[in-house]
């Protein structure tokens, strides 16, 4: 830059001034010597004229050097003023910040703060050989910011490459579960009901100790361009709880399973979601690391499922602290069927009805104690055809609540009442009853009525340590089961499933989780008493 030449010019000025003084001193000495020896050497007019010319030349050089020094000082002041003006413009850009978003953006998709871009642009401008004119500097700064944003996008892109060149984010959790069961259960690593310990039962073991990593999850999120003013995104969530290969030690080789996969279009207050996603009319689940493969307290009052669906969501802002949230959509009519073939797909009893299921939910939220108080109500309806036009109406009414009781205490819960809900874990996996043989066209089918729910109390001891206590219960109507017991299509006839639990979740660091959990299961079978089991789980997770 130009200010870097100032020291060189100053050295030249001082050197010239020194030469001038030396010359003057030398000629003065010569003049004195000549005056002192005037008796022997007389001055000639020619020598005086030469001396005068030399003095005038040196004076001209000094004036020229003074003029150059003044110009350099003026240039330095101008450069300082331009630097102050550029700094003021950069401060203005910093104060403006990033532009407001037109829609809901996932927190992971945000770019670095714009002030960092401004600082980087300033660093680049300071290295250019010449400063631009004042009227062009701000536009040049904006251009440099765009270039830097493109480079930052490229850096994001190089982390996980996609064919579309839009940003991707890979995340998930590696989860180790060590557990011990006391009593027989339906599933060893994340049990849902207690089972009989009679000889010959498939899970008759009175106790077991084991470990698994098949509840680990992988999630891939994509953030695309704006379409019709909506921010587009998509994500796929997988785990390894899809079964076991027929191989030695296959229980440690969990098969990859699709959990959710959805595409979102998010406007400011409206969203469209299409894909396989959670049940939006029953959105809550207890907090737990012991059972991520299925939500905690499933088949014990917690309706859940990953259903193909299309839904619309709209938020109405009531005030600065309150809002109304409305959701509605269609779903695949799930009935909990086991596929008949491994590769070929056949319609389920719900899909044979020829129409989708319908669901809606309305919730109100209010900000309090630094959290959101939310109360919601939902509804579901799905038709089922069990062959020979034997139609059954599956339905559910749901209520959910999230209630902060202070900055460190939170109460959550959900309740349902419905019929033929085995596809969502309602009725302890039992959906219909019949009064005769299944293959008889004259046999009448009836949806099983059931009700249930769960509650949880969360204590946030510290920001990274919480204690959770929860209780869930599912209760199919025993009178209906007794009336149709001889012709039920389900093994056994569960009339109640009760399950309390307590767990501790400690976030050692932002990426390391540790948890212990104790859960008790008590399952009642019609006219056959009840069975109980204890499940103790130790979890260690690494979030990436």
């Amino acid at each position: 830059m130009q200010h870097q030449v100032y020291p060189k010019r100053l050295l030249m000025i001082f050197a010239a001034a020194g030469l001038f003084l030396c010359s003057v001193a030398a000629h003065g000495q010569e003049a004195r010597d000549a005056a002192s020896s005037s008796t022997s050497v007389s001055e000639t007019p020619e020598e005086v004229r030469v001396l005068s010319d030399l003095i005038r030349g040196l004076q001209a050089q000094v004036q020229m050097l003074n003029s150059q020094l003044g110009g350099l000082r003026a240039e330095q002041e101008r450069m300082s003023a331009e630097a102050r003006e550029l700094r003021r413009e950069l401060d203005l850009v910093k104060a403006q910040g990033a532009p407001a978003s037109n829609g809901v953006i996932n927190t992971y998709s945000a770019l670095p703060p714009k002030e960092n871009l401004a600082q980087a642009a300033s660093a680049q401008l300071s290295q250019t050989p010449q400063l631009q004119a004042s009227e062009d500097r701000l536009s040049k700064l904006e251009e440099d910011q765009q270039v830097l944003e493109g480079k930052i996008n490229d850096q994001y892109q190089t982390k996980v490459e996609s064919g579309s060149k839009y940003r991707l984010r890979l995340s998930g959790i590696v989860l180790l579960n060590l557990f011990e069961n006391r009593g027989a259960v339906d599933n060893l690593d994340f049990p849902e009901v207690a089972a009989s310990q009679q000889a010959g039962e498939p899970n008759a073991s009175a106790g077991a100790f084991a470990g698994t990593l098949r509840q680990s999850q992988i999630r891939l999120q994509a953030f695309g361009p704006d379409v019709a003013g909506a921010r587009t995104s998509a994500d796929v969530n997988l785990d390894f709880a899809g079964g076991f290969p027929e191989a030695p030690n296959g229980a440690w080789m969990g098969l990859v399973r699709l959990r959710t996969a959805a595409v979102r279009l998010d406007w400011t207050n409206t969203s469209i979601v299409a894909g396989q996603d959670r049940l939006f009319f029953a959105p809550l689940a207890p907090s737990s690391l012991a059972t991520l493969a299925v939500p905690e307290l499933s088949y014990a009052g917690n309706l859940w499922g990953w259903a193909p669906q299309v839904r619309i969501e709209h938020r109405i802002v009531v005030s600065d602290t309150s809002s109304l949230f409305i959701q509605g959509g269609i779903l695949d009519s799930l009935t909990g069927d086991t596929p008949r073939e491994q590769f070929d797909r056949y319609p389920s009893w719900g899909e044979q009805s020829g129409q989708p299921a319908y669901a809606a939910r309305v919730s109100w939220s209010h900000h309090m104690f630094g959290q959101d108080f939310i109360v919601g109500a939902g509804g579901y309806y799905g038709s089922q055809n069990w062959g020979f036009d034997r139609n059954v109406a599956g339905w559910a009414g749901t209520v959910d609540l999230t209630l902060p009781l202070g900055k460190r205490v939170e109460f959550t819960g959900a309740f349902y009442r419905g019929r033929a809900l085995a596809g969502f874990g309602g009725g302890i996996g039992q959906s219909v009853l019949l009064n005769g043989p299944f293959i008889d066209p004259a046999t009448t089918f009836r949806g099983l009525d059931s009700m249930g729910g769960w509650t949880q109390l969360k204590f946030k001891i510290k920001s990274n340590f919480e204690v959770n206590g929860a209780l869930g219960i599912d209760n199919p109507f025993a009178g209906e089961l007794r009336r149709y017991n001889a012709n039920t299509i389900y093994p056994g006839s569960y009339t109640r499933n009760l399950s309390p639990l307590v767990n501790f979740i400690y976030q050692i660091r932002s990426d390391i989780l540790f948890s212990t959990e104790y859960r008790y299961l008590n399952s009642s079978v019609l006219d056959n008493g009840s069975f109980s089991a204890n499940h103790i789980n130790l979890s260690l997770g690494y979030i990436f």
Side-chain angles (χ1 to χ4, degrees), residues 345-420:
R345 177 173 174 176
Y346 296 90
S348 67
W349 304 116
E351 293 168 340
Q352 288 191 78
S353 67
Q355 61 177 307
Y358 310 92
R361 177 176 177 265
V362 179
S363 64
W364 179 76
S365 65
H366 178 73
H367 196 70
M368 55 187 296
F369 300 117
Q371 305 175 69
D372 287 328
F373 163 62
I374 304 173
V375 58
Y380 165 84
Y381 173 83
S383 180
Q384 306 172 13
N385 186 344
W386 291 79
F388 303 107
D389 292 326
R390 296 175 296 196
N391 296 311
V392 173
W395 60 270
T398 63
V399 175
D400 59 88
L401 175 67
T402 301
L403 176 61
L405 300 176
K407 293 184 178 180
R408 299 187 178 275
V409 183
E410 180 184 74
F411 175 86
T412 54
F415 170 82
Y416 88 90
R417 166 73 171 87
R419 177 181 295 173

Side-chain angles (χ1 to χ4, degrees), residues 7 69 161 173 399 419 470 484 525 531:
L69 181 59
E161 184 176 1
I173 181 173
V399 175
R419 177 181 295 173
Y484 294 95
V525 177
F531 311 111

Side-chain angles (χ1 to χ4, degrees), residues 280-497:
F280 62 88
F281 62 90
L284 301 183
S287 303
S288 173
L289 286 180
T291 170
L292 291 187
V294 298
E296 186 75 277
L297 299 181
S298 59
Y299 299 97
N302 182 22
L303 298 184
W304 74 279
W306 301 310
Q309 60 186 268
V310 178
R311 71 178 187 267
I312 299 177
E313 304 174 339
H314 182 67
R315 185 180 304 277
I316 301 174
V317 178
V318 179
S319 67
D320 293 340
T321 58
S322 302
S323 63
L324 193 67
F325 195 47
I326 303 172
Q327 300 169 283
I330 59 174
L331 304 86
D332 198 327
S333 184
L334 303 183
T335 52
D337 303 1
T338 301
R340 288 184 286 172
E341 298 289 342
Q342 185 176 3
F343 300 104
D344 297 327
R345 177 173 174 176
Y346 296 90
S348 67
W349 304 116
E351 293 168 340
Q352 288 191 78
S353 67
Q355 61 177 307
Y358 310 92
R361 177 176 177 265
V362 179
S363 64
W364 179 76
S365 65
H366 178 73
H367 196 70
M368 55 187 296
F369 300 117
Q371 305 175 69
D372 287 328
F373 163 62
I374 304 173
V375 58
Y380 165 84
Y381 173 83
S383 180
Q384 306 172 13
N385 186 344
W386 291 79
F388 303 107
D389 292 326
R390 296 175 296 196
N391 296 311
V392 173
W395 60 270
T398 63
V399 175
D400 59 88
L401 175 67
T402 301
L403 176 61
L405 300 176
K407 293 184 178 180
R408 299 187 178 275
V409 183
E410 180 184 74
F411 175 86
T412 54
F415 170 82
Y416 88 90
R417 166 73 171 87
R419 177 181 295 173
L421 295 176
F424 307 129
I428 320 179
Q430 303 165 114
S431 190
V432 296
L433 303 172
L434 54 159
N435 62 0
F438 187 93
I439 60 175
D440 186 354
T443 297
T444 300
F445 276 66
R446 172 186 173 82
L448 175 62
D449 287 289
S450 63
M451 61 188 300
W454 61 271
T455 60
Q456 174 185 271
L457 194 61
K458 179 188 295 291
F459 298 92
K460 300 178 181 178
I461 308 301
K462 294 182 178 180
S463 60
N464 62 341
F465 180 67
E466 65 182 48
V467 180
N468 300 289
L471 172 67
I473 184 171
D474 202 320
N475 194 173
F477 287 14
E480 294 181 6
L481 286 170
R482 182 170 287 105
R483 194 177 321 141
Y484 294 95
N485 183 42
N487 296 295
T488 182
I489 62 176
Y490 304 100
S493 295
Y494 285 102
T495 58
R496 192 189 71 168
N497 190 31

Side-chain angles (χ1 to χ4, degrees), residues 46-351:
E46 183 66 21
E47 292 177 348
V48 173
R49 186 182 62 79
V50 172
L51 181 60
S52 299
D53 292 341
L54 179 60
I55 293 174
R56 284 193 296 269
L58 290 175
Q59 289 176 344
Q61 291 180 5
V62 169
Q63 291 177 356
M64 181 181 65
L65 291 174
N66 288 333
S67 177
Q68 292 180 352
L69 181 59
L72 289 174
R73 288 175 178 173
E75 179 69 14
Q76 183 180 12
E77 292 177 357
R78 185 181 67 84
M79 294 286 291
S80 299
E82 290 182 354
R84 287 193 297 271
E85 178 66 17
L86 181 59
R87 187 177 295 107
R88 186 189 67 81
E89 293 172 357
L90 289 176
D91 292 338
L92 180 61
V93 172
K94 294 178 184 179
Q96 291 176 349
S101 169
N102 293 327
V104 179
I105 305 177
N106 188 287
T107 55
Y108 299 121
S109 68
L111 288 173
K114 202 166 187 177
E115 54 264 31
N116 294 342
L117 300 177
Q119 292 173 0
S122 175
Q124 282 196 346
L125 288 176
S126 66
Q127 297 174 2
T128 56
Q130 293 181 349
L131 292 176
Q132 299 180 347
S134 177
E135 61 270 18
D136 296 331
R137 279 178 286 137
L138 186 57
S139 60
K140 179 63 169 62
L141 179 62
E142 293 175 349
E143 292 175 359
D144 289 343
Q145 287 177 341
Q146 293 176 0
V147 172
L148 289 173
E149 287 177 353
K151 292 181 179 180
I152 291 174
N153 289 338
D154 291 341
Q155 291 176 357
Y156 273 101
Q157 180 60 45
T158 55
K159 292 182 179 180
V160 181
E161 184 176 1
S162 71
S164 64
K165 300 302 180 183
Y166 287 107
R167 295 198 317 277
L168 293 180
R169 181 178 184 272
L170 178 65
S171 60
I173 181 173
V174 177
L175 182 63
L176 170 66
N177 295 108
L178 301 176
F179 52 88
E180 180 178 11
N181 292 328
R182 292 299 178 184
V185 292
D186 63 326
N187 185 67
L188 183 64
D189 44 3
F190 40 91
E192 294 159 346
V193 297
S196 172
Q197 299 183 21
Q198 295 179 0
E201 294 289 339
N203 294 317
S205 173
F209 177 87
T212 184
L213 280 91
R214 70 182 184 127
Q215 297 194 83
S216 302
Q217 296 183 18
I218 296 176
R219 186 180 186 186
L220 187 63
Q221 297 169 280
F223 307 97
D226 290 354
V227 175
R231 176 80 65 173
T232 62
S233 62
D235 71 86
V236 178
N237 195 359
L238 310 171
D239 66 15
F240 302 89
F244 310 102
E246 295 183 0
N249 298 322
W252 291 271
M253 307 173 191
L255 300 179
V256 176
R257 178 183 66 167
L258 175 65
R259 293 168 61 92
T260 61
V263 177
R264 297 185 62 96
L265 284 80
D266 294 304
W267 288 269
T268 302
N269 292 313
T270 304
S271 299
I272 297 177
V273 183
Q276 179 169 300
D277 206 355
R278 58 180 174 78
L279 302 181
F280 62 88
F281 62 90
L284 301 183
S287 303
S288 173
L289 286 180
T291 170
L292 291 187
V294 298
E296 186 75 277
L297 299 181
S298 59
Y299 299 97
N302 182 22
L303 298 184
W304 74 279
W306 301 310
Q309 60 186 268
V310 178
R311 71 178 187 267
I312 299 177
E313 304 174 339
H314 182 67
R315 185 180 304 277
I316 301 174
V317 178
V318 179
S319 67
D320 293 340
T321 58
S322 302
S323 63
L324 193 67
F325 195 47
I326 303 172
Q327 300 169 283
I330 59 174
L331 304 86
D332 198 327
S333 184
L334 303 183
T335 52
D337 303 1
T338 301
R340 288 184 286 172
E341 298 289 342
Q342 185 176 3
F343 300 104
D344 297 327
R345 177 173 174 176
Y346 296 90
S348 67
W349 304 116
E351 293 168 340

